[in-house]
């Protein structure tokens, strides 16, 4: 690995070791081991740590000793809604400062990579946090029907580039309804330097299908591509929104109020229980956009984000550390000793999660936190039933 990759990897390892909000997971694919870095529930201040913005699905290949051998997949850094936090506040937004505005697709982030198989470069696909998700399976199925597109992904991967795409599908619906499965190219990023390959730098002759699948800019969709669109975007109906790129490198999301309302976001701020659910489900960024000019509500959101993150991250970290410390009991099949230690060292609620891990089942930590919302001292003004 070069100095850029080594520094990035070290910063991400340090981040995961020092902050429960960030973690990595090792996964196997075709004889290779990959380490995927991600975040659980992280607030704005968490993302101010060195390279924390890169911790959203970036993937390194590692050897048997856990040492990184290459940066395999390089997604775009995390970015935020306009007005969500200081990174996207008080921006100079004019026609001259805007580089481009692209349509925001409503699907799942997928990233391409290549791996070696008996001396041949093969194409791999990952979702934000997995090499084996349902979204990966849908993407491979799509590429099986579009061999030429898959070959272009493989070819540009051999040159050291990750293609980041949005998977949209009637079988992967978020809010918008898509008639058929498709992959939309969001950006292409160099794994050697982190630099983004712009659309006008892509060789349309060598990569005609990558160019064809590139996400459309606003003006291609009949919208004004300048500052006026930023001001009127919230009032547009029928789309999720836009991604705005400024010439100084700032990137922010711009969602329509119509889309936000579909998530019933506005109802969440009045109920501690519902606001807790929004924080656990990582939906507070939409709330921040809606109430960007209401400091009282923003303070309430931030307080709940910190509260929920502490509960969720501590729960996951506690269970993971207990399971790791007692891996020998799992390997030997000593369920009784594992259960006795669990009852002694863990709280009653989290003991059940550890036993799920013992059986090889990954606990649904979000569902666990939501189920026990009363135990965290929360109230619901409507006293809704579970």
């Amino acid at each position: 690995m070069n100095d850029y990759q080594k520094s990035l990897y070290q910063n991400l390892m340090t981040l995961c070791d020092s902050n429960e909000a960030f973690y990595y997971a090792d996964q196997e694919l075709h004889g290779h081991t990959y380490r995927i870095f991600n975040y659980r529930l992280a607030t704005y201040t968490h993302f101010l740590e060195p390279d924390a913005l890169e911790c959203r699905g970036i993937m390194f290949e590692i050897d048997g000793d856990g040492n990184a051998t290459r940066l395999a997949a390089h997604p775009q850094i995390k970015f935020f809604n306009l007005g969500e936090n200081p990174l996207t506040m008080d921006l100079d937004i004019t026609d001259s400062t805007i580089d481009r505005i692209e349509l925001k697709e409503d699907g799942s982030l997928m990233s391409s990579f290549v791996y070696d198989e008996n001396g041949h470069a093969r194409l791999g696909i990952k979702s934000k946090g997995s090499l084996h998700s349902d979204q990966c399976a849908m993407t491979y199925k799509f590429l099986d029907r579009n061999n030429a597109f898959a070959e272009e992904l493989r070819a540009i991967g051999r040159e050291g580039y990750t293609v980041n795409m949005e998977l949209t599908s009637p079988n992967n619906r978020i809010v918008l309804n898509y008639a058929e499965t498709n992959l939309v190219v969001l950006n292409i990023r160099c794994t050697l330097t982190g630099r983004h390959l712009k659309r006008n730098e892509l060789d349309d002759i060598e990569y005609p299908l990558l160019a064809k699948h590139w996400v459309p800019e606003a003006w291609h969709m009949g919208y004004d591509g300048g500052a006026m669109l930023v001001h009127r975007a919230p009032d547009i109906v029928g789309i999720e929104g836009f991604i705005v790129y400024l010439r100084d490198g700032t990137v922010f999301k711009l969602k329509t109020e119509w889309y936000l309302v579909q998530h019933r976001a506005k109802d969440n701020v009045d109920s501690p229980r519902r606001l807790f659910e929004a924080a656990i489900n990582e939906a507070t960024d939409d709330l921040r956009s809606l109430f960007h000019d209401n400091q009282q509500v923003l303070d309430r959101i931030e307080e709940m984000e910190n509260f929920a993150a502490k509960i969720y991250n501590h729960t996951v970290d506690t269970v993971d550390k207990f399971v790791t410390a007692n891996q020998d009991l799992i390997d030997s099949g000593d369920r009784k000793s594992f259960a006795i230690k669990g009852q002694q060292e863990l709280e009653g609620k989290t003991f059940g999660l550890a036993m799920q891990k013992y059986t090889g089942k990954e606990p649904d930590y979000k569902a666990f936190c939501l189920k026990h919302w009363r135990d965290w001292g929360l109230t619901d003004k409507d006293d809704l039933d579970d």
Side-chain angles (χ1 to χ4, degrees):
M1 294 202 302
N2 62 23
D3 290 343
Y4 167 76
Q5 296 167 323
K6 290 178 182 177
S7 175
L8 185 53
Y9 183 76
Q10 186 56 57
N11 285 344
L12 291 171
M13 288 295 295
T14 299
L15 183 68
C16 293
D17 289 341
S18 61
N19 195 318
E20 290 182 342
F22 300 93
Y23 70 100
Y24 62 80
D26 294 346
Q27 298 187 17
E28 302 284 334
L29 183 70
H30 301 303
H32 299 267
T33 303
Y34 298 96
R35 180 160 292 175
I36 303 174
F37 291 87
N38 234 311
Y39 61 90
R40 294 175 177 131
L41 295 179
T43 63
Y44 159 70
T45 54
H46 290 145
F47 283 109
L48 297 180
E49 297 296 322
D51 285 326
L53 292 173
E54 296 281 5
C55 200
R56 63 181 301 262
I58 189 171
M59 185 174 78
F60 289 81
E61 185 169 355
I62 60 174
D63 60 21
D65 297 321
N67 300 311
T69 58
R70 70 182 181 109
L71 173 50
H74 208 339
Q76 188 174 6
I77 65 171
K78 180 175 176 59
F79 54 97
F80 303 91
N81 288 308
L82 179 64
E84 182 179 344
N85 58 49
L87 291 174
T88 56
M89 292 179 179
D90 302 320
L91 301 176
D92 180 19
I93 303 174
T94 66
D95 288 347
S96 62
T97 62
I98 293 174
D99 180 57
R100 66 189 186 280
I101 301 178
E102 295 175 346
L103 187 70
K104 190 175 191 311
E105 299 286 354
D106 189 28
S108 300
L109 174 66
M110 312 301 297
S111 300
S112 66
F113 65 98
V114 292
Y115 62 92
D116 179 77
E117 184 178 66
N118 299 323
H120 299 283
R122 305 299 188 189
L123 174 65
I125 294 293
K126 66 174 293 294
S127 56
K128 181 170 175 284
S130 178
L131 295 168
H132 308 285
S133 65
D134 292 341
Q135 288 78 13
C136 288
M138 277 190 280
T139 301
Y140 281 123
K141 188 174 181 179
F142 173 84
L143 293 173
D144 285 343
R145 300 193 305 268
N146 295 272
N147 292 327
F149 184 35
E151 177 54 31
E152 289 188 19
L153 292 175
R154 188 186 75 87
I156 201 167
R158 294 184 64 186
E159 295 184 36
Y161 288 96
T162 294
V163 180
N164 295 304
M165 300 165 285
E166 193 88 352
L167 170 68
T168 58
S169 172
N171 299 317
N172 188 50
R173 183 173 181 178
I174 311 301
V175 170
L176 300 183
N177 185 25
Y178 292 89
E180 59 185 8
T181 300
N182 191 29
L183 286 173
V184 180
V185 176
L186 304 177
N187 55 76
I188 299 176
R189 197 170 186 193
C190 180
T191 59
L192 300 177
T193 65
R195 178 180 178 274
H196 288 85
L197 185 70
K198 291 187 176 182
R199 169 66 184 84
N200 59 11
E201 297 175 307
L202 183 69
D203 188 333
D204 290 12
I205 297 178
E206 187 173 4
Y207 300 109
L209 294 177
L210 290 182
K212 179 181 178 181
H213 282 257
W214 203 284
V215 62
E217 292 190 36
W219 64 273
H220 284 157
M221 305 297 294
Y223 299 104
D224 172 26
M228 183 63 69
L229 179 59
V230 175
H231 296 294
R232 75 180 196 88
D235 298 326
I236 297 175
V237 173
I239 63 172
E240 180 177 352
F242 303 95
I243 305 295
V244 181
Y245 295 82
L246 301 184
R247 296 187 187 281
D248 66 1
T250 302
V251 183
F252 61 85
K253 293 180 282 187
L254 195 61
K255 294 187 180 181
T256 67
E257 188 167 346
W258 172 87
Y259 183 86
L260 298 178
V261 168
Q262 303 306 304
H263 280 292
R264 299 177 181 173
K266 282 187 174 181
D267 296 334
N268 291 332
V269 298
D270 294 325
S271 165
R273 177 190 178 183
R274 297 306 180 195
L275 188 55
F276 177 73
E277 290 177 350
I280 289 293
N281 288 319
E282 302 176 74
T284 51
D285 56 344
D286 294 336
L287 291 174
R288 286 182 174 277
S289 291
L290 279 175
F291 297 97
H292 65 89
D293 56 351
N294 188 327
Q295 190 57 49
Q296 183 178 3
V297 172
L298 292 177
D299 291 343
R300 194 188 315 164
I301 292 171
E302 182 175 4
E303 182 180 0
M304 184 58 75
E305 283 177 335
N306 291 327
F307 178 80
K310 182 177 181 181
I311 289 173
Y312 180 89
N313 294 335
H314 182 68
T315 299
V316 176
D317 197 60
T318 298
V319 174
D320 283 352
K321 284 181 177 178
F322 176 81
V323 170
T324 299
N326 296 280
Q327 187 64 46
D328 58 326
L329 298 178
I330 297 176
D331 293 340
S332 64
D334 192 347
R335 182 189 181 96
K336 181 178 179 180
S337 297
F338 185 90
I340 291 173
K341 288 198 67 177
Q343 290 174 329
Q344 293 173 341
E345 299 178 19
L346 297 173
E347 297 178 358
K349 295 189 295 294
T350 53
F351 168 69
L353 298 175
M355 292 308 298
Q356 289 182 46
K357 295 274 283 188
Y358 177 89
T359 63
K361 180 181 179 181
E362 185 64 19
D364 188 340
Y365 292 106
K366 289 186 177 181
F368 171 84
C369 291
L370 295 176
K371 178 181 178 181
H372 294 281
W373 64 273
R374 284 193 177 93
D375 295 337
W376 318 129
L378 297 167
T379 59
D380 189 332
K381 71 172 186 176
D382 296 322
D383 194 24
L384 298 176
D385 294 329
D386 287 325

